[in-house]
Amino acid sequence: MQQAELGDDGRTGQDGKGEDPTVVRLEKMASDLLEKEDALFCPSGTMANIVTVLSFAKKGELVALDPKSHIFSSETSIFSSDLFGRKAVLIETDKEGVPDLASLERLFAQQDIKLLCLENTSGYYGGNCLTVSQTDEICMLAARYQIPVHIDGARLWNAAASLHCEVSDLVRNADTVMFCLSKGLGAPVGSLLCGSKERIRAARELRKAIGGTMRQAGVLAAAGIAALENVNILSEDHEKVKWFVQLLKPHPLFDVQSYSHPTNMVYVRMTDRERTPKEVADDLKHQGLLGKAVSPDRLRLVFHKDISWVQVEQAANILNTYLQD
Ligand SMILES: *Cc1c(COP(=O)(O)O)cnc(C)c1O
């Protein structure tokens, strides 16, 4: 970051790219890795998703997505009538967040959907992955109805690590993909949007319109480049999850949910009527273990590169001791 060569990323040259060489390098790296034509560096994943949706659907037009997805549940400016005013059409998924093909097809046949959004890995469904074949099937179906597909891949690299595949395979039939540098990859800031040249050009304009153009952003992009050079760190986080789960002692009121393709998250389901996950999370915080209540009966714990193996053991001890009381 200290040595990054900088420029004004907001001023674009004839090729449509910004003038910060480090940002340009990061964008090239991302588009090469995902095998898309071009990429755009954004200050956040939320902004990358917002500019994508705005570029595909006009005000009042329909965007299909899971009600539990980050885009629907957290990026509310997209669907707020006071702000961007796009209309959400909610899709059905199974317990692991995998969209149901038959109901998708009915939806596509009946409504004029401008964009379908998928999420991989899915934060609400235990960090479970959509596989290459699941993603392909959905994208092929959407293509038959000429509906573009955007993948919110905030944790896409976790999916690739868990499935032992290339990230490019996970997105080969999608039109656009967002991934975060700032989650498990460990960079302080930033996300990338990847897609066709034309799409990225439109997204760049929209990013400017909503104030996301940064000047010497190469300081941040340099950390992003370092993150992309070290994506292999993620499988260790998945190993930490497995070990943590092994260290937990069985308990009648709590169980760990299992998913077909787990990644760096543990979902503890609670059937304890006395204590809500929110209360449990507050208690655990006092003991040094940070988790998040994600639904009325589930607590989420996320593992990442700054949690050492010793701390994995400590975390399991804290939870085991707490549950005994
Ligand atoms: C974190 C996250 C985002 C948004 O990224 P920010 O950089 O926090 O704005 C979008 N989608 C999913 C699934 C996420 O987990």
Side-chain angles (χ1 to χ4, degrees):
M1 291 172 83
Q2 280 183 336
Q3 290 161 7
E5 201 188 330
L6 305 177
D8 183 347
D9 187 51
R11 200 159 50 201
T12 44
Q14 286 191 332
D15 57 357
K17 303 298 284 178
E19 285 184 2
D20 185 300
T22 312
V23 173
V24 171
R25 218 173 101 211
L26 172 64
E27 289 175 343
K28 173 86 171 61
M29 224 173 145
S31 57
D32 284 351
L33 286 164
L34 269 67
E35 297 180 9
K36 299 293 180 199
E37 272 175 22
D38 204 353
L40 179 70
F41 183 49
C42 290
S44 69
T46 299
M47 185 183 284
N49 283 335
I50 290 174
V51 297
T52 305
V53 176
L54 300 191
S55 83
F56 280 107
K58 297 195 183 72
K59 199 161 193 170
E61 289 184 336
L62 307 181
V63 178
L65 75 182
D66 184 328
K68 302 298 188 190
S69 65
H70 193 279
I71 297 183
F72 183 74
S73 61
S74 291
E75 302 172 20
T76 51
S77 66
I78 295 174
F79 304 105
S80 153
S81 56
D82 287 337
L83 292 165
F84 299 123
R86 274 57 176 173
K87 291 258 180 316
V89 176
L90 304 182
I91 66 171
E92 289 172 30
T93 62
D94 68 13
K95 286 205 283 288
E96 300 203 318
V98 182
D100 177 67
L101 281 177
S103 71
L104 266 189
E105 177 144 30
R106 278 196 299 279
L107 200 71
F108 292 168
Q110 286 163 3
Q111 306 213 49
D112 186 14
I113 309 282
K114 298 298 184 194
L115 178 68
L116 169 68
C117 298
L118 303 176
E119 191 173 303
N120 198 12
T121 69
S122 67
Y124 184 83
Y125 302 96
N128 188 57
C129 311
L130 286 178
T131 64
V132 172
S133 63
Q134 285 165 339
T135 309
D136 281 350
E137 271 186 322
I138 296 165
C139 291
M140 309 289 207
L141 175 65
R144 278 206 274 127
Y145 290 86
Q146 290 173 336
I147 297 170
V149 177
H150 170 63
I151 297 180
D152 174 348
R155 298 184 184 81
L156 187 72
W157 295 87
N158 288 92
S162 169
L163 298 166
H164 305 289
C165 66
E166 300 295 327
V167 273
S168 54
D169 292 335
L170 282 168
V171 301
R172 62 190 174 196
N173 288 302
D175 294 81
T176 49
V177 192
M178 180 282 278
F179 71 85
C180 290
L181 296 164
S182 54
K183 301 261 164 103
L185 291 179
V189 175
S191 291
L192 283 136
L193 174 67
C194 303
S196 68
K197 273 206 152 35
E198 195 189 347
R199 183 65 46 192
I200 294 301
R201 192 180 292 269
R204 191 179 288 276
E205 285 300 307
L206 287 160
R207 184 188 67 169
K208 183 175 182 187
I210 62 172
T213 303
M214 296 179 285
R215 296 185 191 279
Q216 285 80 44
V219 177
L220 305 175
I225 290 169
L228 284 184
E229 282 168 348
N230 286 291
V231 294
N232 54 337
I233 61 172
L234 294 177
S235 47
E236 189 170 334
D237 296 340
H238 303 173
E239 294 305 315
K240 287 176 199 157
V241 161
K242 283 182 203 151
W243 197 48
F244 175 80
V245 171
Q246 276 177 25
L247 291 173
L248 288 185
K249 299 207 177 91
H251 191 279
L253 295 177
F254 298 81
D255 61 17
V256 173
Q257 297 206 273
S258 68
Y259 292 90
S260 302
H261 305 289
T263 51
N264 63 332
M265 298 179 185
V266 176
Y267 275 66
V268 184
R269 194 166 57 102
M270 312 188 168
T271 49
D272 188 347
R273 302 247 168 263
E274 311 272 292
R275 290 174 288 196
T276 66
K278 176 84 180 64
E279 287 162 349
V280 173
D282 287 343
D283 288 345
L284 291 173
K285 185 175 174 181
H286 287 300
Q287 307 188 27
L289 178 60
L290 287 177
K292 186 180 177 189
V294 282
S295 70
D297 69 345
R298 295 187 311 163
L299 177 75
R300 180 175 92 170
L301 301 169
V302 180
F303 290 78
H304 54 81
K305 74 181 216 338
D306 297 331
I307 296 175
S308 69
W309 287 90
V310 172
Q311 287 173 314
V312 174
E313 213 165 287
Q314 285 170 344
N317 287 340
I318 291 172
L319 196 55
N320 282 331
T321 310
Y322 178 76
L323 297 183
Q324 304 313 310
D325 296 340

